[in-house]
Amino acid sequence: MFTPRFLYDFEWFLLPFVSLFIIWYTIDAKAMVSDEKEYIEIAEMMRNEALLFEGTYIILEKILESGPRFAGSPGYTAAVDITQRIMEDLGFDKVWLEPVSVPRWIRGEPEKANIVNSERLGTVPLSVLALGGSVSTPKGGIVSEVIEVQDFEQLREIGEKARGKIAFFNRPMDRRNVNTFAAYSGAVNQRSRGAIEAGRFGAIAVLVRSMTTQIDTYPHTGMMRYDDTVPKIPAAAISTFHADLLSEELLHNPDLNVFLEINAFASSPVINYNVMGELSGYQYPNEIIVVACHLDTWDVSVGAHDNGAGCAQAISAIKLLKDLGLRPKRTVRAVLYANEEFGVSGGREYVQSENRKNEKHIAAMESDRGGFLPLGFTIDSSTEVVDYLQRYSYLFSPLQMHTIVQGYGGVDITPLKEYGTLTIGLLVDSQRYFDIHHSEKDTIDKVNPRELELGTIGMALLAYVLSEEGIPDWLAKDSLSN
Ligand SMILES: [Zn+2]
């Protein structure tokens, strides 16, 4: 009788192990398929529920009742009360506050600027906003010649010619860049470090072209820094329209004078609060998935996109899990951070709190690119981790969130990354964000309820999957080392 060759070669003592492997593999594959099916059903339930009711927008409206929520302001305190109450009323398992010391800066009387008596135009008012942290001008303002530069290199070349003058940084955000965040990064050092660099050469103040690609009369504020070894000079953002106008006038008359008055001042730090609310995990309650935002804004608007939208989404994502009766294995926690804009105080103090002692943070995701149409997620980790998360693409494709790529997580959750937590950013269509960013235009009429809701669904879904699956140890190590 013919006996196949491989039967002679087969090591028969392996048979029980091989059989066991086949049985295990079949069961496991079935389990995976049924998990997949269950996730697909859950994703569909989330879409149906959330898109029908658009509840995130209603939560956003409530948050914005606080008005502007700048660090240390009464508006911030009002927002803490509002968001705490929203989460309590929604019946989250636990809602609480943690204190955060925040620096205090007050704009004072509105800043003023104008071109002084130009031959062609006469006196022309300029729209300006003091940058966050700026010192004041001497009382009554200053009048000075202006020296325009595009970057720090050009400033160094001019050197002493800047002495006694207003340094005018006028390099635009690069409109050719499809990625507006990259364009912002390419220009924002003028705002953050302009006063330091100009101060070195004896300039008496700084005007910085607003960080936006739009040409309009709205100035955009933002954080600036000083260096203790350099004289501190006042600094303001100027609208793009007036930056172009001033630049044009300087061509005709380089000796042109500009008047600038800033009345801002610093005050003692005060206590604000991070606001937290969660659904507790039924199996691993001390393992946490954070859904994050920052509750503070600049002082010039209600910050509908930056970052009211993110906070409404964080709360709404947990509400969605709860409404659908989904009890997560691990704890899913909304963290509404205090003072991102003026120094990331809330993010830093969160990781240092005693309350973190017995907690393990598996992952943190943040929505802080505006409440626009979501495209996917940026993963602040290795390509292996990105590959691992891409296995869930099938859940996000029906939301038209097709992009899961390496990228930034978020400002407030970066301190968690330093403790080994995987950090993830909600990626959105960024074409309109810098039209309104840090300006009085950041209002709720710029928010589309449906786009906002899609972001909520994406966050809720990823939070749920991570709460069920956790992160394999080898991947967790990757996020640590990256
Ligand atoms: Zn923000």
Side-chain angles (χ1 to χ4, degrees), residues 343-363:
V344 205
S345 323
R348 279 194 245 280
E349 293 211 19
Y350 178 81
V351 293
Q352 282 158 12
S353 164
E354 277 291 297
N355 297 344
R356 300 292 85 74
K357 249 188 172 165
N358 297 315
E359 294 178 348
K360 182 179 175 192
H361 283 65
I362 304 289

Side-chain angles (χ1 to χ4, degrees), residues 107 129-132 191 219-223 237 298-300 437-439:
R107 184 174 298 281
L129 261 182
L131 296 180
R191 189 191 79 203
H220 298 236
T221 189
M223 184 71 174
W298 281 101
D299 57 335
V300 292
H437 184 245
H438 295 181
S439 78

Side-chain angles (χ1 to χ4, degrees), residues 294 306-307 340-341 368 433 438:
H294 62 87
D306 187 13
N307 186 222
E340 182 263 354
E341 300 289 7
D368 189 17
Y433 189 50
H438 295 181

Side-chain angles (χ1 to χ4, degrees), residues 96-113:
W96 76 106
L97 308 178
E98 290 178 6
V100 176
S101 173
V102 301
R104 191 87 178 93
W105 177 79
I106 294 152
R107 184 174 298 281
E109 284 295 301
E111 44 285 271
K112 282 185 230 130

